[in-house]
Protein backbone atom coordinates (compact mmCIF):
# COMPACT_ATOMS: atom_id res chain seq x y z
CA UNK A 1 0.00 0.00 0.00
CA UNK A 2 1.83 3.05 -1.24
CA UNK A 3 -0.77 5.80 -0.85
CA UNK A 4 0.08 8.72 1.39
CA UNK A 5 -2.40 9.04 4.27
CA UNK A 6 -4.51 12.13 3.80
CA UNK A 7 -8.03 13.22 4.66
CA UNK A 8 -9.34 13.68 1.13
CA UNK A 9 -12.56 11.86 0.23
CA UNK A 10 -11.55 10.23 -3.07
CA UNK A 11 -8.09 9.21 -1.85
CA UNK A 12 -9.57 7.85 1.37
CA UNK A 13 -12.18 5.82 -0.53
CA UNK A 14 -9.64 4.39 -2.99
CA UNK A 15 -7.18 3.62 -0.22
CA UNK A 16 -9.88 1.97 1.87
CA UNK A 17 -10.92 -0.28 -1.01
CA UNK A 18 -7.26 -1.21 -1.60
CA UNK A 19 -6.57 -1.86 2.08
CA UNK A 20 -9.67 -4.02 2.49
CA UNK A 21 -8.84 -5.92 -0.71
CA UNK A 22 -5.33 -6.53 0.57
CA UNK A 23 -6.68 -7.84 3.89
CA UNK A 24 -9.17 -10.14 2.15
CA UNK A 25 -6.49 -11.48 -0.21
CA UNK A 26 -4.14 -12.10 2.72
CA UNK A 27 -6.84 -13.88 4.73
CA UNK A 28 -7.89 -15.97 1.73
CA UNK A 29 -4.32 -17.04 0.97
CA UNK A 30 -3.68 -17.91 4.62
CA UNK A 31 -6.87 -20.00 4.85
CA UNK A 32 -5.97 -21.86 1.67
CA UNK A 33 -2.49 -22.61 2.97
CA UNK A 34 -3.93 -23.78 6.31
CA UNK A 35 -6.48 -25.99 4.56
CA UNK A 36 -3.60 -27.65 2.71
CA UNK A 37 -1.71 -28.12 5.99
CA UNK A 38 1.05 -25.69 5.03
CA UNK A 39 1.26 -24.10 8.46
CA UNK A 40 4.78 -22.70 8.19
CA UNK A 41 4.03 -21.03 4.86
CA UNK A 42 0.81 -19.53 6.25
CA UNK A 43 2.56 -18.31 9.39
CA UNK A 44 5.45 -16.79 7.43
CA UNK A 45 3.15 -15.03 4.98
CA UNK A 46 0.92 -13.77 7.81
CA UNK A 47 3.88 -12.57 9.87
CA UNK A 48 5.12 -10.53 6.91
CA UNK A 49 1.72 -9.17 5.86
CA UNK A 50 0.57 -8.37 9.41
CA UNK A 51 3.71 -6.27 9.95
CA UNK A 52 3.10 -4.41 6.69
CA UNK A 53 -0.57 -3.92 7.57
CA UNK A 54 0.35 -2.68 11.04
CA UNK A 55 2.70 -0.11 9.47
CA UNK A 56 -0.06 1.10 7.14
CA UNK A 57 -2.55 1.32 10.02
CA UNK A 58 -0.03 3.25 12.13
CA UNK A 59 0.70 5.64 9.25
CA UNK A 60 -2.98 6.34 8.67
CA UNK A 61 -3.57 6.74 12.38
CA UNK A 62 -0.67 9.17 12.75
CA UNK A 63 -1.91 11.22 9.83
CA UNK A 64 -5.61 11.31 10.72
CA UNK A 65 -5.17 11.82 14.46
CA UNK A 66 -2.71 14.69 14.03
CA UNK A 67 -4.53 17.91 14.82
CA UNK A 68 -3.45 21.55 14.85
CA UNK A 69 -4.12 21.67 18.58
CA UNK A 70 -1.73 19.35 20.45
CA UNK A 71 -4.40 18.73 23.12
CA UNK A 72 -6.44 16.95 20.49
CA UNK A 73 -3.64 15.07 18.69
CA UNK A 74 -4.57 11.84 20.41
CA UNK A 75 -7.02 8.98 19.96
CA UNK A 76 -8.33 9.90 23.40
CA UNK A 77 -9.97 13.03 21.98
CA UNK A 78 -12.73 10.69 20.81
CA UNK A 79 -13.63 10.03 24.45
CA UNK A 80 -14.51 13.70 25.03
CA UNK A 81 -18.10 14.89 25.45
CA UNK A 82 -18.83 15.95 21.81
CA UNK A 83 -18.31 12.32 20.75
CA UNK A 84 -19.91 10.50 23.69
CA UNK A 85 -23.13 9.84 21.80
CA UNK A 86 -21.32 8.51 18.71
CA UNK A 87 -18.07 6.82 19.74
CA UNK A 88 -17.97 4.07 22.36
CA UNK A 89 -15.09 3.64 24.82
CA UNK A 90 -14.35 0.29 23.14
CA UNK A 91 -13.91 2.04 19.81
CA UNK A 92 -11.53 4.56 21.40
CA UNK A 93 -9.50 1.65 22.78
CA UNK A 94 -9.31 -0.02 19.36
CA UNK A 95 -8.22 3.25 17.75
CA UNK A 96 -5.62 3.73 20.48
CA UNK A 97 -4.26 0.29 19.60
CA UNK A 98 -3.17 1.53 16.16
CA UNK A 99 -2.03 4.97 17.31
CA UNK A 100 1.73 4.81 17.94
CA UNK A 101 1.71 8.06 19.93
CA UNK A 102 -0.96 6.67 22.30
CA UNK A 103 0.27 3.08 22.63
CA UNK A 104 3.07 3.76 25.06
CA UNK A 105 1.18 6.08 27.41
CA UNK A 106 0.89 5.06 31.04
CA UNK A 107 -2.33 5.45 33.05
CA UNK A 108 -1.50 9.00 34.24
CA UNK A 109 -0.61 10.15 30.74
CA UNK A 110 -3.88 8.73 29.39
CA UNK A 111 -5.81 10.53 32.12
CA UNK A 112 -3.97 13.76 31.26
CA UNK A 113 -4.67 13.38 27.52
CA UNK A 114 -8.38 12.78 28.19
CA UNK A 115 -8.50 15.74 30.58
CA UNK A 116 -6.76 18.08 28.10
CA UNK A 117 -9.19 17.12 25.34
CA UNK A 118 -12.15 17.56 27.66
CA UNK A 119 -10.95 21.00 28.78
CA UNK A 120 -10.41 22.05 25.17
CA UNK A 121 -14.02 21.23 24.30
CA UNK A 122 -15.26 23.05 27.42
CA UNK A 123 -13.52 26.31 26.51
CA UNK A 124 -15.73 29.28 25.56
CA UNK A 125 -14.37 29.30 21.99
CA UNK A 126 -14.99 25.57 21.43
CA UNK A 127 -18.28 25.85 19.53
CA UNK A 128 -16.75 28.31 17.12
CA UNK A 129 -13.45 26.47 16.70
CA UNK A 130 -15.04 23.00 16.57
CA UNK A 131 -18.36 23.36 14.72
CA UNK A 132 -20.72 20.49 13.97
CA UNK A 133 -19.00 19.89 10.61
CA UNK A 134 -15.66 19.38 12.39
CA UNK A 135 -17.28 17.00 14.90
CA UNK A 136 -18.85 14.99 12.05
CA UNK A 137 -15.49 14.77 10.28
CA UNK A 138 -13.91 13.47 13.49
CA UNK A 139 -16.64 10.84 13.84
CA UNK A 140 -15.90 9.70 10.27
CA UNK A 141 -12.17 9.56 11.09
CA UNK A 142 -12.91 7.46 14.17
CA UNK A 143 -15.05 5.05 12.13
CA UNK A 144 -12.34 4.69 9.51
CA UNK A 145 -9.56 4.13 12.06
CA UNK A 146 -11.74 1.64 13.92
CA UNK A 147 -12.24 -0.33 10.71
CA UNK A 148 -8.45 -0.44 10.24
CA UNK A 149 -7.98 -1.64 13.82
CA UNK A 150 -10.60 -4.36 13.31
CA UNK A 151 -8.94 -5.58 10.11
CA UNK A 152 -5.60 -5.70 11.90
CA UNK A 153 -7.18 -7.65 14.78
CA UNK A 154 -8.64 -10.17 12.31
CA UNK A 155 -5.26 -10.67 10.68
CA UNK A 156 -3.61 -11.10 14.08
CA UNK A 157 -6.26 -13.61 15.16
CA UNK A 158 -5.60 -15.59 11.98
CA UNK A 159 -1.94 -15.71 13.03
CA UNK A 160 -3.04 -17.25 16.34
CA UNK A 161 -5.25 -19.73 14.45
CA UNK A 162 -2.27 -20.72 12.28
CA UNK A 163 -0.25 -21.31 15.46
CA UNK A 164 -3.07 -23.50 16.82
CA UNK A 165 -3.24 -25.54 13.60
CA UNK A 166 0.52 -26.06 13.71
CA UNK A 167 0.61 -26.94 17.42
CA UNK A 168 -2.04 -29.60 16.84
CA UNK A 169 -0.20 -30.83 13.76
CA UNK A 170 -3.38 -30.74 11.68
CA UNK A 171 -3.34 -31.98 8.10
CA UNK A 172 -5.94 -29.32 7.32
CA UNK A 173 -7.51 -26.45 9.24
CA UNK A 174 -10.87 -28.02 8.33
CA UNK A 175 -10.21 -30.66 11.02
CA UNK A 176 -10.75 -28.07 13.75
CA UNK A 177 -13.60 -26.08 12.18
CA UNK A 178 -17.29 -27.05 12.21
CA UNK A 179 -18.41 -28.57 8.92
CA UNK A 180 -21.07 -27.02 6.71
CA UNK A 181 -23.80 -29.25 8.23
CA UNK A 182 -23.15 -27.95 11.75
CA UNK A 183 -25.97 -25.84 13.22
CA UNK A 184 -25.52 -22.08 13.11
CA UNK A 185 -24.18 -21.35 16.57
CA UNK A 186 -21.19 -19.78 18.24
CA UNK A 187 -18.22 -22.15 18.28
CA UNK A 188 -15.20 -21.64 20.53
CA UNK A 189 -11.86 -23.23 19.86
CA UNK A 190 -10.05 -24.47 22.96
CA UNK A 191 -6.85 -22.64 23.80
CA UNK A 192 -3.81 -24.82 24.28
Amino acid sequence: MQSTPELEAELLLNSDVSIQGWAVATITEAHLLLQMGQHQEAKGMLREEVEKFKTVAHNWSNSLIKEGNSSLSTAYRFSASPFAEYITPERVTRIKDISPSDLSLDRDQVRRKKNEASVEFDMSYAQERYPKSWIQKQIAIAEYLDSLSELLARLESLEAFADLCESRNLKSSKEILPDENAPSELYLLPAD
Side-chain angles (χ1 to χ4, degrees):
M1 249 325 293
Q2 298 299 322
S3 67
T4 304
E6 173 179 330
L7 191 58
E8 197 279 315
E10 187 175 350
L11 175 67
L12 194 58
L13 177 64
N14 290 335
S15 296
D16 187 45
V17 169
S18 297
I19 289 169
Q20 287 187 32
W22 172 27
V24 168
T26 300
I27 290 167
T28 301
E29 183 178 353
H31 274 293
L32 289 172
L33 289 168
L34 291 171
Q35 284 178 5
M36 295 185 299
Q38 297 180 7
H39 309 119
Q40 286 296 320
E41 292 83 353
K43 286 174 60 173
M45 184 271 300
L46 282 168
R47 186 174 30 258
E48 186 177 314
E49 293 304 312
V50 166
E51 277 309 307
K52 289 179 191 175
F53 197 92
K54 195 177 290 185
T55 298
V56 168
H58 287 177
N59 288 342
W60 276 95
S61 174
N62 280 337
S63 179
L64 297 179
I65 288 177
K66 191 183 326 172
E67 186 59 42
N69 182 333
S70 63
S71 299
L72 300 179
S73 289
T74 174
Y76 293 108
R77 74 173 177 244
F78 300 123
S79 62
S81 60
F83 307 109
E85 180 178 336
Y86 308 101
I87 303 173
T88 64
E90 295 81 12
R91 180 172 271 186
V92 174
T93 299
R94 289 191 300 265
I95 295 168
K96 179 268 307 175
D97 289 343
I98 63 168
S99 172
S101 62
D102 293 315
L103 274 172
S104 61
L105 300 178
D106 63 32
R107 187 174 293 156
D108 287 337
Q109 292 169 315
V110 168
R111 187 181 41 73
R112 195 172 323 121
K113 290 278 188 183
K114 287 179 176 182
N115 190 43
E116 288 174 3
S118 182
V119 166
E120 180 65 19
F121 289 119
D122 288 341
M123 298 300 282
S124 60
Y125 56 75
Q127 282 193 330
E128 184 178 312
R129 188 178 285 179
Y130 309 110
K132 189 161 182 69
S133 61
W134 185 88
I135 299 294
Q136 290 170 334
K137 183 189 277 188
Q138 298 308 303
I139 293 167
I141 287 171
E143 288 178 8
Y144 180 71
L145 292 175
D146 189 31
S147 72
L148 280 180
S149 72
E150 287 178 348
L151 282 173
L152 179 58
R154 287 181 183 158
L155 288 167
E156 290 172 336
S157 70
L158 188 52
E159 274 187 302
F161 182 67
D163 288 338
L164 178 65
C165 289
E166 183 181 47
S167 72
R168 292 199 173 178
N169 200 25
L170 301 177
K171 291 183 180 153
S172 172
S173 59
K174 289 183 176 184
E175 293 176 31
I176 200 169
L177 297 173
D179 64 26
E180 46 291 327
N181 296 326
S184 296
E185 295 180 10
L186 178 63
Y187 291 90
L188 301 176
L189 299 176
D192 286 336

